[in-house]
Amino acid sequence: MEAGAGRDPEQGTGTPWAARCHGAFNVASGVWPLVHLPSFEKVFGPKEDDWLVRTVAGLLVGVGWSQLRGAATPEGREHARRVGIATAATLLAIDLVYVPKGRIRATYLLDAAAEAAWILLWSRRRAGRGSTGRSPAGRR
C-alpha cells in the first residue's frame, strides 16, 4: 500500500488542515505577548525592547491570519505554505543563532523544534495536492 493511501486528503499536508493549524499556531504565538507580556517574559526571558516584541508579535498575528484565511482555496493554501515556510525558517534561524550565543533563553529551542516541524510538514507536499502527491488533474 502506498504511503498515505487511505488517508483523508483533507487531513494531510498542503491541505486546509495544515494552513489552519499553522495559522492558529502563529496567531496564538503572536497574541500571547500582546495580551500578557509578563507571562511571555517569564517563559522566554526579559526583553529590553517591548516595542520590538510587540512588532514581531503583530507580524505573527498577521501571518497567521493570512494562513487561516488562505485555507479555503488551493491558491490560498499555496500562499499559506510559502509564508509559513518563510516565517518558520526565519524564526528557526533566529532561535538557532541566538540561543547558543546566550542572547535568548534556551526555552527558544522549544520554538525551534516547532518551527522545524512546520517546515517539515509544509515541505512534504505542495499545497493543494491529494494524498498521492498529484494534482487533482493527475499532473505534477
Side-chain angles (χ1 to χ4, degrees):
M1 180 178 254
E2 181 182 345
R7 195 172 13 155
D8 179 358
E10 291 296 305
Q11 297 301 313
T13 59
T15 64
W17 175 86
R20 286 185 198 112
C21 287
H22 197 186
F25 177 83
N26 281 328
V27 168
S29 295
V31 166
W32 181 14
L34 292 174
V35 171
H36 200 261
L37 187 58
S39 65
F40 180 82
E41 289 182 319
K42 278 192 184 230
V43 174
F44 291 104
K47 308 296 179 219
E48 290 188 28
D49 295 316
D50 291 349
W51 68 268
L52 184 56
V53 174
R54 290 185 176 103
T55 299
V56 172
L59 289 169
L60 282 172
V61 170
V63 165
W65 179 251
S66 179
Q67 289 176 296
L68 288 168
R69 298 281 299 165
T73 67
E75 297 81 14
R77 290 188 292 276
E78 181 58 27
H79 171 74
R81 177 184 173 275
R82 284 191 307 265
V83 75
I85 290 173
T87 302
T90 301
L91 295 172
L92 175 63
I94 294 299
D95 296 341
L96 295 180
V97 168
Y98 291 104
V99 167
K101 289 182 177 186
R103 183 68 180 97
I104 58 177
R105 281 191 183 171
T107 50
Y108 276 95
L109 292 177
L110 297 172
D111 180 65
E115 303 304 340
W118 290 121
I119 293 168
L120 180 63
L121 175 80
W122 285 117
S123 297
R124 292 189 60 191
R125 201 172 324 138
R126 291 190 62 85
R129 296 197 176 172
S131 60
T132 63
R134 294 187 179 164
S135 65
R139 287 175 269 139
R140 288 202 172 256

